[in-house]
Amino acid sequence: SQQGEEDPQALSIQEGENATMNCSYKTSINNLQWYRQNSGRGLVHLILIRSNEREKHSGRLRVTLDTSKKSSSLLITASRAADTASYFCATDPDTGGFKTIFGAGTRLFVKA
Amino acid sequence: EAQVTQNPRYLITVTGKKLTVTCSQNMNHEYMSWYRQDPGLGLRQIYYSMNVEVTDKGDVPEGYKVSRKEKRNFPLILESPSPNQTSLYFCASSLSRGPPYNEQFFGPGTRLTVL
């Protein structure tokens, strides 16, 4: 079963603009992570936010987590053409097991 | 260099012919996992392993087997592949799964086609 659902499915912006992607999930979690994937290659970890954190920054990335709404957002500021990729959220559910559940992803295209 | 390696990277096979995809990590990670990625579905977890000889099912384990006899290796076995197992497969590892929680490192992927 898919827990993470990203929104939008696809996003096209101009270089220099900000990109915001959202993720919703269904069960309580230990943490939520965001990954980037360039065209069929391996995923690269971007940022991890724990269930007791509300916001986290890493360079041009800002992640928020709202556990009451079971949602997270990833903001990429001042986007670059090199940010063109698919972005996935992944959750570690707090259900007693050790699964990881990924969403279907948001495809971001940044036009130069 | 710290990495997760998978072999083969590409494989075309026929229905019913047993195959193994190897995965190895050199980071002394406890947790390892296999995912498949299909268009529009994101990544779905097949199996994971918390440590040597400790494995458990993910969301889509049917048709797959795994083993964890050594900490660094986590092979994925398809005993009788079928066309619906045509997919892009990723192996991943992380230091552990408990607090303080760690990110997963992914291999480059194995593109499998079953005819």
Side-chain angles (χ1 to χ4, degrees):
Chain A
S1 61
Q2 288 294 314
Q3 161 142 279
E5 297 289 338
E6 281 95 339
D7 167 50
Q9 291 186 334
L11 181 61
S12 181
I13 60 175
Q14 292 291 139
E15 208 167 29
E17 294 180 339
N18 295 342
T20 299
M21 288 159 267
N22 303 298
C23 168
S24 61
Y25 57 91
K26 295 177 183 152
T27 66
S28 61
I29 60 173
N30 292 315
N31 64 80
L32 184 145
Q33 303 172 44
W34 285 92
Y35 290 84
R36 184 185 72 214
Q37 183 183 37
N38 289 92
S39 191
R41 302 174 73 175
L43 278 72
V44 174
H45 180 261
L46 296 176
I47 198 163
L48 181 153
I49 186 165
R50 295 175 179 81
S51 59
N52 61 353
E53 298 175 312
R54 292 297 166 257
E55 187 171 313
K56 209 160 180 182
H57 297 255
S58 177
R60 294 185 295 113
L61 305 180
R62 173 178 170 255
V63 168
T64 61
L65 179 64
D66 187 335
T67 54
S68 67
K69 295 181 179 178
K70 292 186 170 61
S71 67
S72 172
S73 67
L74 170 67
L75 168 66
I76 303 174
T77 60
S79 61
R80 306 164 182 168
D83 294 328
T84 294
S86 292
Y87 292 81
F88 296 89
C89 69
T91 55
D92 289 354
D94 180 20
T95 54
F98 297 96
K99 291 182 180 181
T100 300
I101 300 178
F102 279 81
T106 292
R107 293 177 61 186
L108 174 65
F109 182 64
V110 181
K111 293 176 280 189
Chain B
E1 180 190 355
Q3 60 182 347
V4 178
T5 57
Q6 296 179 226
N7 282 291
R9 294 288 314 280
Y10 302 90
L11 178 60
I12 300 174
T13 189
V14 296
T15 299
K17 186 175 181 182
K18 181 179 178 179
L19 66 92
T20 299
V21 184
T22 64
C23 172
S24 183
Q25 50 92 5
N26 62 359
M27 297 170 279
N28 201 34
H29 283 174
E30 291 184 351
Y31 184 88
M32 298 186 74
S33 182
W34 277 103
Y35 300 89
R36 60 178 289 175
Q37 184 176 28
D38 302 290
L41 294 178
L43 278 78
R44 292 180 292 168
Q45 194 171 37
I46 303 170
Y47 270 95
Y48 62 89
S49 170
M50 293 296 293
N51 214 322
V52 175
E53 302 292 2
V54 182
T55 63
D56 206 349
K57 296 176 181 178
D59 283 333
V60 289
E62 295 78 19
Y64 304 94
K65 286 176 59 176
V66 293
S67 68
R68 187 96 180 270
K69 294 186 178 2
E70 305 166 284
K71 198 171 187 179
R72 63 183 293 128
N73 296 324
F74 190 45
L76 179 69
I77 303 157
L78 285 71
E79 297 248 341
S80 183
S82 62
N84 64 12
Q85 292 178 298
T86 292
S87 189
L88 180 58
Y89 290 87
F90 289 101
C91 180
S93 71
S94 67
L95 185 61
S96 70
R97 283 301 300 270
Y101 304 115
N102 307 102
E103 71 268 32
Q104 293 187 46
F105 293 82
F106 280 78
T110 295
R111 189 167 293 279
L112 172 66
T113 301
V114 183
L115 302 174

